[in-house]
Amino acid sequence: MASNINSKPGVHTLSDVEETGDMELGTQVGEDDNLMGKVVNSEDEAYALYNAYALRVGFSIRKGKVRYFTGSKKIRSREYFCSKEGFKLDEDLEEKKVRRLDTRTGCKAFVRFSNEDGLWKVVAFNPQHNHELAMPSEKHLLKSARRMPISKAHVPGVEGFGDIGFVNRDCYTYMNRQKTLMSAGDSQNLLNLFKSKQAEDSLFFYTVQVDQENRITNFFWRDGRSRLDYDCFGDVLAFDTTCRTNKYNLICAPFVGVNHHWQNVMFGCAFMLDETTTSFEWLFKSFLESMGNRPPKTILTDHNQAISNAIEIVFPNTRHCLCRWHILKSVASQVGDLSENSEFKYLFNKCLTGCEEAADFQQSWDNLIQKYNIGNHKWFNTLYEVRAKWSTAFTKDVFTGGISSSQRSESTGNVLVGLANDITSLSKFVIAYEKLVASMRSSEFNEDFRCKQGAQSKVLKKSGILGQASNVYTNKIYKLFEEELLGSIGTTWTELVSRDTLHTFEVREEGSQRVCTVKFNSHSAEIFCSCKKFESLGILCCHALRVFGIKNLTRIPNQYVLKRWTKEAKGGMMGYEQSAPHSMNRKDELVWRNSMIRFVCNSIYKAQGMDTARKLCIKKLLEFDREIDEEVARLKLGEERNLGTDIANEGNDACTPVLCPSHMEDLSSTRHKGHCEKRKTNPSKEAISAGKSKQSSHPILLPSIDINSRSQSNSLCDQHHMYPNAPLSTHTQSGAVQFLVQ
């Protein structure tokens, strides 16, 4: 019987359905995806047929209505719905510890099978959806896709993080790479690894600094995705140098930011031989160049005078703040058991985060110093000198994106803990770092998918301002905003001034002595609060929201919705890209060029996995290229403008080998060290950019690097022969190599 059924035209068996499920996820909906009239042999095959179709298209399914033959339990017809069919029922939010996303949109897509003589035939089919479908890189996250065996569903990345759109798809070939890494010197392996990553990722950037003996002293790298992330979230940057996790005892210095889900995002990483101003200046200049010469608005670091000096040189217009978490960690090492005293902790924390004005800080600081007789303590005196960089009395108007808050600063400061140990080689660390970054991006990708699949359940169902926030903000930022809105209910207010469209209020939080002054312009919807939470975090405070309620505003004014906190944080173009000046100098041209590369690359990433999208991308790029050629011809430009300064990677001649870094002796490998204490440095290991490198008294010579294997330019050899005592620096970006005499 089965053989006769399987031979009938139009009948689909379970094996047929599974083969359909093995189709590439990029397959577009076509004639074969019209399920009307399709026939299968069982209820399981009916489910598998619709589920395979749903997976190709990009949605999840669930079981729907079932009808039985009269007087029996035999199924007559069965329906399967899109998982977004219908609407979510109201629930008691007070009793729910975990509030799930509202994913229902009332979608009408469905399929109905009728059962006739054991054959299940599609008798009704609606393929139309009223919501966004999952991208190919997101389909492994669909709930109904998880029911399908990995070998059958053919969903890329189900066993790992999935193909989430970043360029380096081989970040998990750790074991295979290890085999090749063990066969050569560590420095050679490092450069070979960077070279292979650059071949995979055209936006990959790295720079290596060597001394007179061609021994690596400092190096920095970041991949192409980090460049794209920096364009979206590079307004605030955390830079930490309190960790040494490498067998050469080098300083590990990651560049960390915060994304639109309030998660850590990596912008790059560096290893440094010492902590001199020269070394930090070289590193910051390399980082700035790699990011299109766009400095951050704010940079947070531990307390280090050399870092401060370098920031003043390289980032003169960037606000420099000290990480409060590092300061609190240093207190214990400076005052011992006194740090556990509850009254001391209260006074110190008040100076740190509890003062609104400079006068309040000064009074609290004087009380702390006098009460515990620490007026002559060097660490506290040094900390007081830089109070403008760490106390909220001076920094509450500085945008930090919440990095400096108690909820986030510890996780940012510990981002590399456990990544490596004192026997980890340079190359192995880079691979471990790559795996960590892939994990972070997987978490971000999952949150992006959750935001697209549904909206947060609102505490106040009919609140217009909460409805807007739920639609615009990511889930994490919405929760922060909702807390502020609920907090506004517990405030009292007094109107002090009302003149035309200008209004001034005093808003007091119940149970607190804190009083904030709020100024509101009803004509322009501009609002200002003395707590300056919007300036520091980028979301409106409870005081401002209270005034909005008083003035019957039911929507957040556009100027108070930061794009970096929205679901579309990475969509479209950045504000600075749209407002490019008509006439640009060389620096502006470089910023504009790198921004356009980011924008085009982001569009190309979206087209991955979809045949029609790839064809559209090729078509539009060819049209764009033709239009540019026509415009250039119209303007009679005789030659293409040189937009870059990179030197072509052409030469293959052998050059001086580059050696591994010397081991830093007599330096502690502990995770955290005091911020104001003297840091031990070896004067024989000064940064080579100063031109003062000296040979280590006990160098550890590892196998040297033959730069010839990297096909680099002859300019390195030429310059080294012309300046035999000059330090060398190799710098590689997007296939180009530069060798600079410092």
Side-chain angles (χ1 to χ4, degrees), residues 205 207 209 218-220 230 237-241 253-255 270 272 276-296 299-302 304-316 318 320 689:
F205 178 100
T207 177
Q209 197 175 34
N218 306 315
F219 68 88
F220 163 77
Y230 184 81
L237 181 68
F239 178 70
D240 181 23
T241 60
F255 291 86
M272 306 179 66
T276 63
T277 298
T278 303
S279 291
F280 285 122
E281 182 181 351
W282 171 86
L283 176 59
F284 291 153
K285 285 181 177 179
S286 299
F287 176 82
L288 187 62
E289 179 184 357
S290 76
M291 296 303 182
N293 289 306
R294 288 187 55 250
I299 184 170
L300 295 97
T301 72
D302 57 323
N304 185 306
Q305 188 58 48
I307 294 178
S308 299
N309 295 339
I311 289 175
E312 291 178 3
I313 296 172
V314 182
F315 303 125
T318 297
H320 179 204
S689 298

Side-chain angles (χ1 to χ4, degrees), residues 535-586:
E535 286 79 0
S536 63
L537 183 57
I539 62 174
L540 291 169
C541 62
C542 60
H543 318 107
L545 292 174
R546 178 62 165 168
V547 172
F548 279 175
I550 296 169
K551 293 300 180 180
N552 297 321
L553 264 72
T554 59
R555 291 184 61 82
I556 309 170
N558 291 335
Q559 63 265 38
Y560 297 109
V561 179
L562 294 190
K563 183 179 180 181
R564 66 139 25 250
W565 294 135
T566 67
K567 299 175 184 178
E568 299 299 323
K570 291 187 172 183
M573 299 178 65
M574 303 298 108
Y576 75 92
E577 295 171 338
Q578 300 179 22
S579 58
H582 294 290
S583 58
M584 300 183 185
N585 55 33
R586 182 177 174 277

Side-chain angles (χ1 to χ4, degrees), residues 135-376:
M135 300 287 288
S137 58
E138 300 170 338
K139 292 180 181 178
H140 65 287
L141 299 174
L142 295 171
K143 188 173 182 179
S144 62
R146 300 171 197 163
R147 295 170 176 256
M148 302 183 69
I150 293 172
S151 61
K152 301 300 180 182
H154 194 65
V155 184
V158 172
E159 294 178 308
F161 299 130
D163 180 9
I164 61 176
F166 54 88
V167 175
N168 188 8
R169 302 187 188 92
D170 299 323
C171 59
Y172 297 112
T173 56
Y174 177 75
M175 296 305 297
N176 290 334
R177 283 185 176 175
Q178 258 195 327
K179 296 177 182 178
T180 60
L181 291 174
M182 304 304 292
S183 61
D186 196 17
S187 297
Q188 182 68 63
N189 285 327
L190 178 66
L191 294 183
N192 288 344
L193 180 61
F194 283 164
K195 181 180 179 180
S196 65
K197 293 169 72 66
Q198 192 175 74
E200 300 169 1
D201 181 359
S202 61
L203 292 180
F204 184 87
F205 178 100
Y206 75 92
T207 177
V208 176
Q209 197 175 34
V210 299
D211 59 16
Q212 291 175 318
E213 300 172 357
N214 285 342
R215 194 185 305 277
I216 290 180
T217 57
N218 306 315
F219 68 88
F220 163 77
W221 81 96
R222 63 116 181 103
D223 63 7
R225 171 69 182 271
S226 294
R227 173 68 175 85
L228 306 183
D229 287 337
Y230 184 81
D231 274 340
C232 301
F233 312 117
D235 43 7
V236 58
L237 181 68
F239 178 70
D240 181 23
T241 60
T242 60
C243 181
R244 294 176 184 264
T245 59
N246 179 264
K247 72 178 182 180
Y248 304 109
N249 210 20
L250 297 176
I251 302 160
C252 180
F255 291 86
V256 188
V258 57
N259 66 14
H260 51 321
H261 300 296
W262 225 37
Q263 299 170 326
N264 287 334
V265 57
M266 301 295 288
F267 296 139
C269 191
F271 271 117
M272 306 179 66
L273 187 66
D274 56 27
E275 295 181 281
T276 63
T277 298
T278 303
S279 291
F280 285 122
E281 182 181 351
W282 171 86
L283 176 59
F284 291 153
K285 285 181 177 179
S286 299
F287 176 82
L288 187 62
E289 179 184 357
S290 76
M291 296 303 182
N293 289 306
R294 288 187 55 250
K297 294 180 180 178
T298 309
I299 184 170
L300 295 97
T301 72
D302 57 323
H303 189 195
N304 185 306
Q305 188 58 48
I307 294 178
S308 299
N309 295 339
I311 289 175
E312 291 178 3
I313 296 172
V314 182
F315 303 125
N317 299 319
T318 297
R319 288 292 298 268
H320 179 204
C321 297
L322 301 183
C323 178
R324 296 177 191 135
W325 179 75
H326 283 304
I327 293 176
L328 289 172
K329 294 290 288 184
S330 296
V331 171
S333 63
Q334 297 296 328
V335 297
D337 294 339
L338 184 60
S339 62
E340 300 299 324
N341 183 291
S342 59
E343 190 171 354
F344 174 86
K345 290 169 66 175
Y346 169 77
L347 289 175
F348 188 79
N349 283 327
K350 184 178 180 181
C351 294
L352 196 65
T353 61
C355 297
E356 296 289 328
E357 303 294 338
D360 297 336
F361 168 82
Q362 191 62 51
Q363 182 180 1
S364 300
W365 184 263
D366 291 342
N367 291 340
L368 177 70
I369 298 299
Q370 294 172 9
K371 185 175 181 63
Y372 296 98
N373 193 26
I374 51 177
N376 295 325

Side-chain angles (χ1 to χ4, degrees), residues 6 11 40 56 58 94 233 373 383 450 496 519 572 627 632 646 672:
N6 292 342
V11 177
V40 292
R56 294 197 304 275
E94 295 296 329
F233 312 117
N373 193 26
L383 192 64
R450 291 184 72 245
L496 302 179
K519 298 180 180 179
E627 291 175 2
V632 170
D646 294 342
H672 180 82

Side-chain angles (χ1 to χ4, degrees), residues 471-573:
N471 292 330
V472 173
Y473 287 133
T474 60
N475 295 335
K476 178 61 180 179
I477 302 304
Y478 170 78
K479 290 179 181 178
L480 297 177
F481 180 84
E482 186 180 70
E483 289 176 6
E484 293 297 327
L485 186 67
L486 293 178
S488 69
I489 299 175
T491 59
T492 59
W493 59 276
T494 303
E495 187 168 14
L496 302 179
V497 178
S498 179
R499 185 180 302 112
D500 297 329
T501 61
L502 302 178
H503 309 272
T504 303
F505 297 84
E506 269 191 358
V507 181
R508 182 189 301 272
E509 299 176 34
E510 294 182 13
S512 172
Q513 298 299 319
R514 186 184 189 188
V515 179
C516 293
T517 302
V518 181
K519 298 180 180 179
F520 176 65
N521 186 325
S522 58
H523 175 69
S524 61
E526 294 180 352
I527 197 164
F528 169 82
C529 181
S530 59
C531 78
K532 297 185 178 180
K533 186 161 193 172
F534 179 79
E535 286 79 0
S536 63
L537 183 57
I539 62 174
L540 291 169
C541 62
C542 60
H543 318 107
L545 292 174
R546 178 62 165 168
V547 172
F548 279 175
I550 296 169
K551 293 300 180 180
N552 297 321
L553 264 72
T554 59
R555 291 184 61 82
I556 309 170
N558 291 335
Q559 63 265 38
Y560 297 109
V561 179
L562 294 190
K563 183 179 180 181
R564 66 139 25 250
W565 294 135
T566 67
K567 299 175 184 178
E568 299 299 323
K570 291 187 172 183
M573 299 178 65

